Amino acid sequence: MQTKTNTKINPEKIWDNCLKIIRDNVSAQNFKTWFEPIKAIKLENHVLTIEVPSQFVYEWLEEHYITLLRKTIKSQLGKEGKLEYSILMDTTSGSGSPMTVKIPGRNVNTLKNPSLLAPINLNSTIKNPFIIPGLKKIDIDSQLNPNYSFDNLIEGDCNRLARSAGYAVANKPGGTSFNPLLVYGGVGLGKTHLAHAIGVEIKEKFPQKTVLYVPSDRFMNQFVEAVKNNSYNDFVHFYQMLDVLIIDDIQFFASKEKTQDVFFQIFNHLHQNNKQIVLTSDKAPVDLSGMEQRLLSRFKWGLAADLTPPDFEMRIAILRKKMYIEGIELSNDIVEYIALSITNNIRELEGALISIVAQSSLNKKPITLELTKQMIDKFVKNTVHEISIDYIQKVVCDYFELPLELLKSKTRKREVVQARQLAMFFSKSLTKSSLSHIGMHCGGKDHATVLHACRTVNNLIDTDKKFRSYVQDIQKRINIQREA
Ligand code: ADP
Ligand code: MG
């Protein structure tokens, strides 16, 4: 449909034809976001002028769709066909200050209004967190903590897969099959540390890449703000122009439909453009109830790697590393005592070490095994409110006078099976652990077994009086020791 006398031809008609071609070449979402809002306003001497909503959109088109646009225009207007943009100045922000900032030249690295700085300053009331005029793309504050590096992240059996996948991603962001990389595991096992380490490493290797670490609640707050301020599109565009997006604790997205919606849009865009996505969650994907199926299925595109509690050797290694960083010296028996006492939360392990050191320097007493024991006793008591699976297992085993090893074994003896099911039931209701994590700790079972156990216990509570009294007794014991 080439034309030589295009002065007479309606620009809208030509643009409509272009849109038909473009629609076949981009995703529906991208079409809607970037092309639908465009209007054709002029056609003169083979030059089609289109009106785009903002400088940002103009730059985005130039950066991502220039080849497609060029080809499309030439197919409609012939070899001499050219495209010109007219940029609408946006004056919708309440304060009356224009949202668009004219950027001289066509430096695609210069973005109009990245929301980048919003994350730093969430608590203060920024009217529109998305306007940072003249900010360059590479100036984005990645919100990364340099102390959370790979160097400081000890490797062990419990994190080997996640750590190496993270390292692979950091060396080739968007270029491995680990996209998205989803790291999951219980509290204090190093998810946040690993998430930062990936970002820190990428920034070191590829300083030009825009990396953003954002905790999920901050993402949600920004989203809510953006909706309130009518800057939804800016919010989405900002996230869509990242090279690496790291969202921590996505379990908080569960049951938040609108957040999941917008995240879905951002996710798709980044993924399509081979940008890296890193997510963490305190639950395995199968246990993320309240998360839409379409998101869960996308998580499967990449790799889900779990972190489990560290074994004894790793706990020692972590303590030693921390001692080295902090310049602390302690005898072996003390380090071992700490490692034996605190078993399934690395944050608490470090916390115990620091309080022992603090206590000894406050009281000007040397750190002895005695002092360590006193401190650990207090520390463990103080942290019992965070009930652990180990602790529940211990209470259940004490109650039925069963050795713990039996509960953790594979035996199918009736009374052991029942105790195991109760331990699973209480672990599910009293801890934040995932079904698969609980299963692994109760004799290496899978998540389906744990689910089955929870159902069985619930049924028996309803139907079996004696069983119900067991449950009540155990519950009491857990509560008593929890409050002690
Ligand atoms: P999560 O996000 O899973 O709750 P964090 O990443 O906040 O846990 O880790 C808790 C603490 O434990 C942090 O101080 C972190 O540096 C430390 N930590 C976790 N895993 C390791 C590890 N493998 N080596 C050294 N320190 C670790
Ligand atoms: Mg965390």
Side-chain angles (χ1 to χ4, degrees):
M1 177 331 159
Q2 295 193 9
T3 169
K4 295 262 171 313
T5 51
N6 55 40
T7 34
K8 285 185 201 110
I9 292 172
N10 185 342
E12 282 156 30
K13 181 97 197 11
I14 293 284
W15 181 240
D16 265 355
N17 290 336
C18 291
L19 285 180
K20 278 184 199 132
I21 301 173
I22 293 169
R23 194 194 289 275
D24 288 339
N25 284 284
V26 303
S27 72
Q29 187 56 54
N30 283 336
F31 185 81
K32 203 164 161 223
T33 310
W34 304 109
F35 296 98
E36 257 179 21
I38 297 176
K39 274 195 223 132
I41 49 177
K42 202 164 74 182
L43 179 61
E44 242 174 52
N45 306 323
H46 300 93
V47 180
L48 177 70
T49 309
I50 57 173
E51 185 182 82
V52 296
S54 68
Q55 179 80 21
F56 185 93
V57 173
Y58 152 69
E59 287 173 8
W60 192 273
L61 291 171
E62 284 276 288
E63 189 173 354
H64 295 92
Y65 297 108
I66 190 62
T67 319
L68 174 63
L69 280 168
R70 194 176 291 138
K71 276 193 195 145
T72 312
I73 290 295
K74 295 216 189 294
S75 81
Q76 297 304 309
L77 299 177
K79 265 213 303 277
E80 295 138 64
K82 282 210 177 67
L83 190 64
E84 255 180 30
Y85 300 84
S86 156
I87 298 166
L88 258 189
M89 289 301 270
D90 187 341
T91 51
T92 51
S93 68
S95 62
S97 63
M99 285 192 37
T100 5
V101 176
K102 196 120 185 95
I103 296 167
R106 301 198 340 184
N107 177 0
V108 285
N109 268 341
T110 324
L111 286 181
K112 167 194 82 155
N113 56 357
S115 54
L116 309 187
L117 298 193
I120 306 169
N121 213 347
L122 237 224
N123 293 332
S124 70
T125 47
I126 305 173
K127 275 256 162 46
N128 185 335
F130 302 102
I131 311 178
I132 310 292
L135 197 72
K136 284 204 181 117
K137 188 171 165 180
I138 51 170
D139 288 345
I140 290 171
D141 184 330
S142 294
Q143 309 289 313
L144 292 164
N145 178 348
N147 295 326
Y148 282 162
S149 61
F150 273 108
D151 271 354
N152 291 339
L153 187 72
I154 306 274
E155 181 173 350
D157 288 343
C158 64
N159 69 358
R160 195 170 329 271
L161 173 67
R163 193 182 185 281
S164 8
Y167 197 70
V169 159
N171 279 293
K172 227 175 157 195
T176 67
S177 52
F178 311 144
N179 200 15
L181 175 63
L182 172 65
V183 177
Y184 67 95
V187 185
L189 295 182
K191 300 181 296 294
T192 298
H193 188 141
L194 177 57
H196 278 276
I198 295 168
V200 168
E201 189 76 17
I202 293 177
K203 273 317 261 184
E204 216 155 82
K205 295 214 161 92
F206 311 95
Q208 301 293 322
K209 287 211 187 284
T210 20
V211 178
L212 183 72
Y213 166 88
V214 61
S216 60
D217 54 338
R218 195 175 286 169
F219 179 91
M220 283 189 278
N221 288 338
Q222 289 178 342
F223 167 57
V224 170
E225 280 298 300
V227 172
K228 238 192 333 203
N229 297 334
N230 277 329
S231 51
Y232 176 84
N233 281 343
D234 287 328
F235 172 83
V236 174
H237 293 166
F238 162 63
Y239 273 95
Q240 289 183 336
M241 62 107 218
L242 296 170
D243 294 316
V244 180
L245 172 61
I246 305 168
I247 306 191
D248 204 359
D249 289 319
I250 50 142
Q251 73 274 5
F252 294 127
F253 285 180
S255 307
K256 308 257 174 12
E257 277 167 37
K258 297 229 169 71
T259 307
Q260 289 184 38
D261 249 17
V262 71
F263 173 59
F264 184 72
Q265 234 187 84
I266 292 167
F267 182 103
N268 284 343
H269 184 93
L270 294 178
H271 198 272
Q272 271 163 20
N273 290 289
N274 296 323
K275 308 296 176 155
Q276 182 68 44
I277 301 151
V278 177
L279 307 167
T280 79
S281 159
D282 72 353
K283 294 193 187 65
V286 293
D287 298 326
L288 278 170
S289 53
M291 200 68 96
E292 285 179 41
Q293 208 49 47
R294 56 180 184 161
L295 270 177
L296 290 177
S297 75
R298 270 164 179 71
F299 295 165
K300 290 196 193 124
W301 288 355
L303 175 76
D306 67 338
L307 297 173
T308 55
D311 57 20
F312 177 69
E313 269 167 35
M314 182 159 168
R315 298 200 296 274
I316 296 273
I318 289 171
L319 285 170
R320 293 217 176 284
K321 179 88 187 183
K322 186 82 183 167
M323 285 159 57
Y324 176 80
I325 293 172
E326 305 282 332
I328 302 167
E329 277 177 41
L330 294 174
S331 64
N332 283 344
D333 51 347
I334 291 176
V335 177
E336 280 176 18
Y337 188 84
I338 303 174
L340 281 171
S341 313
I342 296 173
T343 54
N344 47 20
N345 184 325
I346 299 174
R347 189 178 298 122
E348 284 177 10
L349 193 67
E350 292 182 343
L353 176 72
I354 298 302
S355 16
I356 291 163
V357 174
Q359 194 64 26
S360 106
S361 75
L362 275 175
N363 297 340
K364 305 209 165 34
K365 279 192 206 157
I367 302 176
T368 58
L369 190 57
E370 208 35 51
L371 176 78
T372 306
K373 283 184 179 162
Q374 282 169 17
M375 283 297 302
I376 292 275
D377 280 356
K378 264 198 230 152
F379 195 83
V380 172
K381 265 192 202 138
N382 284 338
T383 50
V384 171
H385 57 266
E386 246 186 59
I387 286 199
S388 66
I389 301 175
D390 285 350
Y391 173 73
I392 290 168
Q393 288 178 339
K394 192 174 162 302
V395 174
V396 172
C397 285
D398 282 354
Y399 183 77
F400 291 112
E401 296 179 346
L402 280 177
L404 187 61
E405 298 78 66
L406 219 51
L407 189 116
K408 291 192 173 201
S409 74
K410 303 233 181 255
T411 180
R412 302 285 312 153
K413 271 199 191 141
R414 219 183 88 80
E415 64 279 15
V416 180
V417 170
Q418 192 171 66
R420 198 183 286 134
Q421 288 183 329
L422 278 162
M424 289 174 172
F425 167 81
F426 280 112
S427 299
K428 183 63 202 155
S429 53
L430 300 176
T431 75
K432 286 195 221 150
S433 304
S434 65
L435 292 171
S436 48
H437 184 67
I438 293 170
M440 207 180 55
H441 275 254
C442 298
K445 309 288 186 203
D446 63 7
H447 78 277
T449 311
V450 182
L451 204 58
H452 175 70
C454 295
R455 290 204 186 111
T456 309
V457 170
N458 276 318
N459 282 339
L460 287 174
I461 291 176
D462 290 343
T463 53
D464 183 333
K465 229 169 146 190
K466 187 146 160 243
F467 188 86
R468 184 157 59 229
S469 70
Y470 290 164
V471 174
Q472 285 163 348
D473 286 349
I474 296 170
Q475 176 82 64
K476 258 184 230 148
R477 287 200 189 187
I478 293 175
N479 288 346
I480 290 169
Q481 299 191 27
R482 185 187 201 176
E483 284 150 15

